[in-house]
Amino acid sequence: MQDIILLIVGAALVNNVILARFLGLCSFMGVTTRVDTALGMGAACTFVITISSIGDWAIERWLLEPYGLGYLRTVAFILIIASAVQLNEALFRRYSPTLFKLLGIYLPLITTNCAVLGVCLLLVEGRYGFMDSVVFAFASSVGYSLVMVLFAGLRERVALNDVPRLFAGPPIGFITASLLALAFMGFSGMGAK
């Protein structure tokens, strides 16, 4: 049980996909102007990362690895991710049309979100078992969602204040993101001398 808790905390906070590994920055900067859209993108990515990681784990363990087809890993993983995104898009269109319209082009672009492929490749690299893979993928995506929502909240607060013209818009967004990354760096620096 302790190993699972450490895996969850490590994946969500210490080795956060956005702030420690710098993956998924396109959606991080593009969708985080409002908390509701950030929450929707976080939910969409959580679904896609978790589902595609399960499929990618199975393909890796039962097809690519046994038959020496590792060179097809990226193509196979992207096909599974694209399928999960299509399922995700259909579910959003059907059950949440408002959020579907708010996310717009960012929803199908989850296919090219490097955070999704990055988590799948980290699973292969880490040689996790099935349950550990599911936990790692889910925890990584929850960490991704957490950072997206936190950053969107910070951006909403910054938008209400007078920012010098030189820093208005993207510059203050990047400054805020860097400060958030430094705050999360404290998790990985615990116990270090």
Side-chain angles (χ1 to χ4, degrees), residues 48-89:
V48 170
I49 289 172
T50 305
I51 295 299
S52 62
S53 293
I54 291 169
D56 290 342
W57 182 90
I59 291 292
E60 176 68 24
R61 294 297 181 263
W62 295 332
L63 183 67
L64 300 178
E65 198 174 274
Y67 295 106
L69 300 171
Y71 60 91
L72 293 174
R73 181 175 295 128
T74 305
V75 173
F77 284 11
I78 289 175
L79 286 172
I80 291 170
I81 290 166
S83 300
V85 168
Q86 290 300 311
L87 176 62
N88 190 27
E89 197 172 355

Side-chain angles (χ1 to χ4, degrees), residues 9 13-15 182-191:
V9 171
L13 299 177
V14 178
N15 294 313
L182 283 173
F184 267 74
M185 295 272 301
F187 288 116
S188 62
M190 291 178 160

